[in-house]
Amino acid sequence: MAGFVLQALVGSLALRLGVAAPLDHLLETHKHAAAVGLAVTDSYHTLSRIQRSPGLSRTYDVLQQIRRKHRIMMDELDDDPEGVDHIRAELNQVEYIMQVGIGEESYYMIPDTGSSDTWVVQEGYKCLDPYYGMEVGQEVCDFGPLFQGDFPGGQIEDQNLNISYLSGDYLNGNMGFADITVANVTVPKQQFALVDVAAFGGDGVSSGILGLGLRGLTAGFTGDDPSQDNIDNLVNYSPLVETMGTSKVADAVLSFAMSRDESRSYIAFGGVPPVPTGEYTTVPIQKGTTTSGTTDYFYYDIPIDSMHWNGTTISQTATNLPNMLVDSGTTINLFPSNVAAAINDAFDPPGSQEDSMVWSVACDAVPPTLDIVIGGLPIRTHPSSMILPETETAPGSNICLSGIGAGQSGSYILGDTFMQEIVAVFDVGEKMELKFAQRTD
């Protein structure tokens, strides 16, 4: 099955670039982009959607990784958080992938703004059972094609990558350099990792993750023994978007124009893709401070003015909301539990809570309208994003995953449910801002 999926993707995706918007729309696109200091770029590439195999979802995995990094930021590494359930295995997730060039080869990778480390799995890697630590066959980890050979730009001596998920998954590997190509932008001598030990559930297609987050979340450690890694030997380094700017191959700007329709789904580097939009709203990325007094940018963490949802029988507004993380690697939105419950109640028929994080809804339910006000401008979540039809528990069951779930303090997330049918811009140069505009195509 994985081989068939990969073959189909190769046929449809290989270095495929998107089709630009008609000329009459481009004038408005350029106008709205220029008003907030952005440029329309031809360095964009289509994104494809694939379904993740049953098991712990990408939503759960990424949430655990964010929580672990939050604990590193707060210098708290002792206790596991409470009140976290495993998402039901039958609720498969949907994720976006793109082609990435590493040296002379290309791999399908998950573009992830919720993490900062770029890694690809190396030929001969050891696949471990995440719960018992025993070596198992590589088919259990279920990665796509494996990286062959050594680091194209040389290995970094005495430094390793160590990413652990509180769900039990983890990855280790050496670090080094390569020229990494995204769309038609080649970022020179980018630091990344070749994973040689993985306890991880893959999707059968992608070979790693393209870390698009900020320097504060990078997870390099000095030494070659991951069991000895701790906050004292953590080494932050320049992630891909930062290196893209400092090397001057493109502005340090990343943008997504996600859609369920692959022919309309793009990622762009150095600017925004040529898709029609309304006006942009701008909001500053928020810094975090550790208990030791270190202040830095860790997440794409932004303030939310308010939310408003309007169903067939319910109309409500939420204010005094916490900051939220904008994360392309998480399938659904994760809101405060009372807000998530109220929005799911506004579906017609109402959703049903499955555990502490997720709700199921009828696949043909009518979702409420949902406006998230950011920087004074309401951003409408498209109704098609509020229900994930790919997650139907069984053919004909008419039970699907809701696009709205519940997070916990410090890990509320605007995921793909939010990011679809808008243009989301991550400006990590001097401005350190996020910008959002509604798509009009």
Side-chain angles (χ1 to χ4, degrees):
M1 180 63 180
F4 171 79
V5 173
L6 179 59
Q7 185 177 19
L9 283 167
V10 170
S12 65
L13 278 181
L15 297 180
R16 185 180 68 182
L17 293 179
V19 179
L23 184 60
D24 56 341
H25 292 302
L26 282 178
L27 293 177
E28 282 294 300
T29 301
H30 281 272
K31 172 185 170 184
H32 290 308
V36 290
L38 297 171
V40 177
T41 180
D42 60 359
S43 298
Y44 65 99
H45 197 291
T46 51
L47 293 168
S48 275
R49 287 161 54 88
I50 60 172
Q51 192 163 345
R52 187 175 169 85
S53 301
L56 289 177
S57 72
R58 172 63 54 191
T59 298
Y60 181 81
D61 289 346
V62 172
L63 180 62
Q64 304 317 306
Q65 185 181 15
I66 288 174
R67 285 185 182 140
R68 178 179 183 272
K69 288 176 178 176
H70 177 72
R71 290 161 72 213
I72 288 177
M73 184 185 81
M74 299 302 294
D75 302 334
E76 299 170 354
L77 289 174
D78 343 13
D79 301 320
D80 290 345
E82 298 179 355
V84 180
D85 297 331
H86 288 248
I87 289 179
R88 293 177 3 179
E90 63 266 30
L91 292 177
N92 296 355
Q93 301 296 288
V94 179
E95 57 196 13
Y96 288 84
I97 62 172
M98 63 175 292
Q99 268 198 336
V100 178
I102 300 179
E104 300 298 320
E105 303 297 328
S106 293
Y107 302 88
Y108 291 103
M109 301 178 73
I110 300 166
D112 184 13
T113 62
S115 64
S116 302
D117 301 288
T118 294
W119 56 265
V120 65
V121 175
Q122 188 174 31
E123 184 180 37
Y125 80 97
K126 185 183 295 185
C127 178
L128 302 181
D129 181 287
Y131 299 103
Y132 300 103
M134 298 182 300
E135 186 170 359
V136 294
Q138 291 184 350
E139 68 277 3
V140 175
C141 289
D142 199 24
F143 286 106
L146 306 178
F147 186 93
Q148 300 182 17
D150 298 320
F151 290 97
Q155 182 174 331
I156 301 172
E157 296 300 327
D158 199 38
Q159 190 171 137
N160 73 94
L161 174 76
N162 189 346
I163 297 180
S164 297
Y165 299 85
L166 295 180
S167 59
D169 293 355
Y170 58 88
L171 301 161
N172 301 138
N174 295 318
M175 304 207 76
F177 298 103
D179 293 345
I180 294 183
T181 300
V182 287
N184 59 358
V185 175
T186 297
V187 181
K189 203 172 183 180
Q190 174 59 47
Q191 184 168 338
F192 79 111
L194 292 178
V195 168
D196 55 16
V197 175
F200 193 81
D203 52 38
V205 179
S206 60
S207 302
I209 286 180
L210 182 69
L212 299 173
L214 299 166
R215 178 187 287 259
L217 280 187
T218 52
F221 293 85
T222 57
D224 55 11
D225 182 359
S227 68
Q228 301 300 310
D229 292 341
N230 57 61
I231 193 70
D232 294 327
N233 67 327
L234 174 66
V235 179
N236 296 129
Y237 62 89
S238 176
L240 185 132
V241 180
E242 180 181 326
T243 307
M244 185 172 70
T246 56
S247 64
K248 301 188 183 305
V249 295
D251 290 339
V253 175
L254 159 76
S255 60
F256 287 85
M258 287 182 171
S259 174
R260 288 182 182 274
D261 180 352
E262 292 185 7
S263 67
R264 300 175 57 252
S265 195
Y266 309 105
I267 185 171
F269 296 87
V272 296
V275 299
T277 71
E279 64 178 296
Y280 282 87
T281 186
T282 299
V283 63
I285 303 170
Q286 304 297 295
K287 285 186 175 182
T289 302
T290 67
T291 54
S292 61
T294 301
T295 299
D296 201 352
Y297 292 102
F298 295 95
Y299 318 114
Y300 291 118
D301 190 22
I302 61 170
I304 305 297
D305 297 343
S306 62
M307 293 186 195
H308 179 77
W309 55 96
N310 185 15
T312 55
T313 61
I314 297 175
S315 180
Q316 293 177 299
T317 297
T319 56
N320 298 317
L321 293 163
N323 290 350
M324 296 190 183
L325 321 178
V326 184
D327 183 4
S328 65
T330 296
T331 307
I332 66 176
N333 292 347
L334 296 174
F335 294 156
S337 57
N338 62 325
V339 175
I343 295 174
N344 281 292
D345 282 345
F347 280 77
D348 185 12
S352 176
Q353 189 167 3
E354 298 293 340
D355 57 27
S356 65
M357 287 179 63
V358 300
W359 277 255
S360 62
V361 294
C363 298
D364 57 0
V366 178
T369 60
L370 173 62
D371 291 317
I372 301 174
V373 181
I374 301 172
L377 185 71
I379 301 296
R380 172 68 55 91
T381 295
H382 197 276
S384 68
S385 300
M386 299 280 281
I387 300 173
L388 279 66
E390 302 93 336
T391 65
E392 187 173 14
T393 55
S397 69
N398 199 34
I399 299 175
C400 290
L401 181 69
S402 168
I404 306 299
Q408 290 187 351
S409 178
S411 55
Y412 300 123
I413 294 175
L414 296 174
D416 297 346
T417 295
F418 167 75
M419 293 179 66
Q420 288 169 163
E421 301 306 329
I422 69 171
V423 175
V425 183
F426 302 76
D427 187 342
V428 299
E430 294 180 0
K431 294 182 178 179
M432 296 302 287
E433 295 174 335
L434 297 192
K435 302 175 175 70
F436 305 100
Q438 208 83 49
R439 291 181 68 160
T440 59
D441 57 338

